[in-house]
Amino acid sequence: MSQDQDPQPTGRGQRRTQRAAEARDQRRQAALQAHQRGVVRKAPVAAGLAGAGVVVLVAAAVTAGSLILSSTPQVDGAAVPAALNAVPAQSLCAGPPRLPAGAEEGTDTQFSPVSTSADSGLTSVLLSDLAGRFPGSSLVNLPAGDAGAGEPEELTAPQPEEVQQGTPATSGEDGVPVREATVEDLSSPGGDAGDPTAVTVEPIGGQAAPADAVSLYSASDGDLAGTDASSCGAPAHEHWLAGATTTVGSTAVLVLSNPSASASTVDLSLFGGSGPVEAPGTTGIVLAPGESRSMVLGGLAPDEEHLAVHVTAQGGAVGATVQQHRLFGVTPGGVEIIQPTAAPSQTAVLPGLVVPSASNAEAVTGQDGYEQAGPAVLLAAPTADATAEITVSGPEGPVELPEGGVVDVEAGSTVRFPLDGLDHDIYTVTVTADAPLVAGARGLSGQADGPVDLSSVSAVGPLGLERLVARPSGADANLALYSDAGGAVEITPVLSDGSLGESLVRELGPKSTRAVAFDDLADGDAPEVSAVLLETAEGQVHAGVDVRGEQGISAYPVVPQQQQVSGVPVRVGY
């Protein structure tokens, strides 16, 4: 888009954007500047004085004809941040579900498509800075094998280095702040092989640009019938995955991806119903730069109703997901991508759990072989015995659980806690325990005597300063917002034409879940809502997204936006 702006906005979308942009972004810039002042306060001065002291002392010793100092120099050894350039942000997107092939030769596997109706896509959303400039962005496939990543596909053109690393813009050339969006809908990401993909977004104005991407899969036939929506998450050196199933009729495939330019060595720790699972081939897994690898978890830990996986990496940061699908006899039992959940903690919050009515859930789970298909909370205690209290909160607050909500988990083991007797609605699950736990949840849709579909819900931390949340194109989706003590969140819709709609504030009662439909955030004649910009106005707010399609349901987490790192600690000394 052109950077030349008329003195007065002429387009309807631009008028909507400018009415809210200035006040909103002034608050954002003030908060960011306050954060930066707290991080770098006095750092340059301390580093400069310490460096100068070392130079003077060494020069004096050389002048005296000796490098042996007569006294120990006084050097400030405190760590101070060394300023670095802003770096591009990466997010990893899971490939569409595929049936594993070649597993009979071991746990390593390749994928093959099986459905005639399968459809997959990826929606990427970027916000401009206040001058209307978009950061450069690209998408690249991460294929199996060590051949490396494919050729990047440009989504938005790169900006010059001085724009990427310069000072943040406060307005356009006419002095009026303008913020716009670009929305890219891509079909069949990952190509014919369904490879994982990585989206890279360059910084702009020395800061990370608000950006998000989400993938969507649906199929009405074949073993992989169902719906899955997955957010694209940042690579990391540690991931926890909860809720994989390796019982008869279930297939769980762990997919590891390395988007970095450095090789990565990955180790896996597995936790099952009877304790830690020891298996060969779980340590020293080497991923070349740009490589993905898939492993059938049933070959490592068979017959586990709930398996938790801890992924650690040395070298390049990696992504990790589990592709899960089931068959109940010959009836499809749903497909889902299990995404990383929050690290072990004594508190976990899981928003966006969708359950059917109690009678419908009972009819499904009452069928032979479907006993474990109902809504449930999935817990793992990696280090110590734990007693957990589970609370399920709907629109009116916590609801009573027939099982009482208290469960014991032995160290190193996993437990499935059923969520029976709930009305059809969107819920938030909270877990509090006396020792660190890993938590996930599973939703359900479908009818008895027909296909069912499952959703996987992850634990998330509270939203930070702001968070852009993409919506999968063409699917019904709802934000699930939760605040333990009550709060409020400002929501700005991002429309498919690149304009920003009117901001609105949603109040949240204590311990209640508020569902906000994406489609309800725009006027009736406005374009589709492709994303929302969330800003916490009061309290601590947790968020997730539930997705509903003709073939089933899904969910994906809204994790806090990673803060742009302003430097690395450097300790001055010798």
Side-chain angles (χ1 to χ4, degrees):
M1 296 188 181
S2 172
Q3 299 179 24
D4 297 330
Q5 306 292 334
D6 295 331
Q8 298 295 326
T10 57
R12 178 183 175 190
Q14 197 174 30
R15 288 196 298 271
R16 281 197 302 264
T17 300
Q18 291 185 5
R19 278 195 296 265
E22 185 169 11
R24 181 173 62 249
D25 288 296
Q26 283 178 347
R27 292 196 302 272
R28 177 177 182 270
Q29 290 300 326
L32 286 173
Q33 289 169 6
H35 173 73
Q36 293 296 331
R37 286 196 300 269
V39 170
V40 303
R41 186 184 303 128
K42 299 182 180 179
V45 175
L49 291 176
V54 172
V55 172
V56 170
L57 289 167
V58 173
V62 171
T63 303
S66 173
L67 290 178
I68 301 176
L69 301 177
S70 58
S71 61
T72 303
Q74 298 298 313
V75 178
D76 183 1
V80 297
L84 299 175
N85 283 344
V87 297
Q90 279 190 321
S91 57
L92 286 169
C93 310
R98 294 287 191 270
L99 279 184
E104 65 276 0
E105 299 177 2
T107 56
D108 285 341
T109 185
Q110 301 293 322
F111 286 128
S112 62
V114 294
S115 173
T116 60
S117 64
D119 184 46
S120 61
L122 186 144
T123 300
S124 174
V125 183
L126 295 177
L127 291 189
S128 72
D129 66 3
L130 297 185
R133 304 172 302 186
F134 291 105
S137 62
S138 62
L139 179 140
V140 66
N141 292 353
L142 304 174
D146 57 3
E151 283 296 320
E153 175 184 352
E154 183 179 288
L155 302 179
T156 53
Q159 293 283 356
E161 185 73 12
E162 57 269 22
V163 174
Q164 292 186 39
Q165 305 297 339
T167 56
T170 57
S171 67
E173 293 182 357
D174 58 1
V176 178
V178 57
R179 207 171 199 184
E180 299 172 317
T182 177
V183 179
E184 296 284 346
D185 288 321
L186 306 173
S187 179
S188 299
D192 295 338
D195 295 323
T197 54
V199 177
T200 300
V201 179
E202 296 175 348
I204 191 163
Q207 300 175 350
D212 196 32
V214 60
S215 62
L216 179 67
Y217 165 90
S218 66
S220 60
D221 68 326
D223 292 350
L224 299 181
T227 293
D228 176 76
S230 299
S231 58
C232 300
H237 289 92
E238 182 178 32
H239 297 286
W240 287 89
L241 300 151
T245 302
T246 62
T247 54
V248 175
S250 301
T251 302
V253 180
L254 174 67
V255 182
L256 304 170
S257 303
N258 177 15
S260 73
S262 302
S264 184
T265 301
V266 177
D267 294 331
L268 309 178
S269 299
L270 309 177
F271 303 91
S274 300
V277 178
E278 300 293 337
T282 57
T283 59
I285 303 166
V286 178
L287 295 178
E291 179 185 5
S292 291
R293 182 175 297 184
S294 303
M295 305 179 69
V296 178
L297 290 176
L300 300 172
D303 202 30
E304 292 285 352
E305 180 56 42
H306 166 35
L307 184 70
V309 183
H310 183 205
V311 179
T312 56
Q314 295 182 347
V318 302
T321 58
V322 173
Q323 175 197 298
Q324 179 79 64
H325 76 273
R326 298 186 184 215
L327 286 175
F328 297 105
V330 296
T331 304
V335 63
E336 57 187 317
I337 301 294
I338 300 174
Q339 298 191 252
T341 192
S345 174
Q346 292 179 248
T347 304
V349 180
L350 303 92
L353 177 69
V354 175
V355 303
S357 66
S359 59
N360 191 17
E362 185 177 352
V364 171
T365 59
Q367 302 174 104
D368 186 31
Y370 285 73
E371 295 82 6
Q372 303 294 314
V377 180
L378 313 164
L379 301 174
T383 58
D385 293 347
T387 297
E389 182 177 359
I390 297 170
T391 304
V392 177
S393 300
E396 305 301 323
V399 298
E400 184 176 352
L401 295 174
E403 298 295 328
V406 176
V407 59
D408 293 325
V409 190
E410 294 183 359
S413 69
T414 62
V415 166
R416 175 186 179 273
F417 184 87
L419 296 177
D420 299 325
L422 297 175
D423 293 331
H424 175 52
D425 219 321
I426 303 174
Y427 295 94
T428 297
V429 176
T430 58
V431 180
T432 56
D434 57 3
L437 288 176
V438 176
R442 183 180 294 155
L444 171 70
S445 72
Q447 304 286 335
D449 300 321
V452 299
D453 194 27
L454 308 176
S455 65
S456 176
V457 181
S458 300
V460 297
L463 298 174
L465 179 64
E466 69 175 16
R467 178 67 158 88
L468 183 69
V469 183
R471 171 220 189 146
S473 179
D476 291 333
N478 302 286
L479 280 169
L481 303 171
Y482 173 85
S483 180
D484 185 69
V489 60
E490 183 177 355
I491 306 173
T492 304
V494 179
L495 308 182
S496 59
D497 66 355
S499 64
L500 273 63
E502 294 284 356
S503 299
L504 51 89
V505 175
R506 287 288 184 261
E507 302 286 342
L508 307 175
K511 297 185 183 300
S512 65
T513 300
R514 181 157 191 175
V516 179
F518 279 77
D519 287 336
D520 292 343
L521 296 172
D523 299 333
D525 59 346
E528 181 181 72
V529 177
S530 294
V532 292
L533 182 65
L534 302 180
E535 297 177 81
T536 302
E538 181 183 347
Q540 287 194 330
V541 179
H542 298 75
V545 178
D546 91 84
V547 176
R548 308 181 195 191
E550 293 182 2
Q551 313 310 326
I553 62 172
S554 189
Y556 56 93
V558 178
V559 300
Q561 192 75 44
Q562 285 190 328
Q563 295 297 321
Q564 181 72 14
V565 177
S566 61
V568 296
V570 175
R571 192 173 300 278
V572 180
Y574 62 94

